Amino acid sequence: MKILVSNDDGYLSPGLACLADAARELAEVMVVAPDRERSGASNSLTLTRPLRAREAEPGVYAVDGTPTDCVHLGLTGLTAQRADVVLSGINIGANLGDDILYSGTVAAATEGRYLGYPAVAFSMASFAPRHWDTAARVVTHVVRRLEDHNLPGNTLLNVNIPDIPWSEVRGMRATRMGRRHPSEKVIRETDPRGHPIYWIGQAGAEEDAGEGTDFHAVASGWVSVTPINLDLTRHGVLESTEAWLGDVG
Ligand code: MN
């Protein structure tokens, strides 16, 4: 098996090291990751300038682009090496509920899935993770299970890991996306020359975090595994949408 590893925290992230090391126990690994943190990059591609890739160490490439750029390059011609699976992470910080739409970690897996590969995004539910050993065990378990369980087309897995000792993990739960309240307002400050500058505010608190959600699983000591559908169509309202759009005549 050959595994392509990427992330959005940059190629020097300890989370990437944890994921790549765990993957190397199972397969041949190539790492293609951003040369700096690109959290929140979502599915963006760099189309207005060329990309450069530097082999930081054998089999580890740092790219001056987004997570999506990295996986795209890694799967379509950076090297002659092919891949069987794409893994992303391990992100420092959870990707729960609507975080998924902004996440570069999930986006790297999404790009893998779009290009036809089984893909999994991993995140640690802490901004100061301590239990990397727990995360490594989760990676090993999920990848081993994927070897004989094919994901359906258009589907990737978003895995969130509680930052607790492995002995305290209750197990793995298949979950649905919860939802957050709208994010905090933008924070306005002033630069040294008196011009306004802005920081994007914090993500909102949980709004839908009940039983069955990714939020609930992680908060209760479970590893949350959300199957994500790349088809964002709301199939249930297709007919009613066509009805209210009406006739153009
Ligand atoms: Mn990140």
Side-chain angles (χ1 to χ4, degrees), residues 7-10 37-40 91-93 95 103-105:
N7 77 344
D8 76 352
D9 291 335
E37 184 179 349
R38 300 303 302 265
S39 293
N91 193 58
I92 296 182
N95 278 301
S103 169
T105 306

Side-chain angles (χ1 to χ4, degrees), residues 4 30-32 55 59 61 73-82:
L4 175 67
M30 178 165 77
V31 174
V32 187
E55 192 168 14
Y61 295 86
L73 250 67
L75 294 176
T76 64
L78 178 66
T79 70
Q81 179 153 333
R82 56 182 191 87

Side-chain angles (χ1 to χ4, degrees), residues 38 43-51 63-69:
R38 300 303 302 265
N43 300 94
S44 54
L45 277 172
T46 301
L47 301 176
T48 54
R49 60 172 175 84
L51 295 164
V63 176
D64 62 345
T66 66
T68 301
D69 290 331

Side-chain angles (χ1 to χ4, degrees), residues 1 40 64 74-75 82 117 138 151 159 179 195 208 226-227 229:
M1 183 167 51
D64 62 345
L75 294 176
R82 56 182 191 87
Y117 298 84
V138 169
L151 292 175
V159 177
R179 198 171 59 248
H195 301 120
D208 173 11
T226 307
N229 188 0

Side-chain angles (χ1 to χ4, degrees), residues 83-139:
D84 301 300
V85 179
V86 175
L87 304 180
S88 176
I90 298 168
N91 193 58
I92 296 182
N95 278 301
L96 299 165
D98 6 353
D99 298 342
I100 289 170
L101 290 176
Y102 300 99
S103 169
T105 306
V106 177
T110 302
E111 186 66 7
R113 191 65 225 169
Y114 271 134
L115 294 176
Y117 298 84
V120 186
F122 294 93
S123 303
M124 273 293 251
S126 164
F127 286 111
R130 293 191 298 136
H131 299 286
W132 289 116
D133 173 61
T134 298
R137 283 167 181 261
V138 169
V139 170

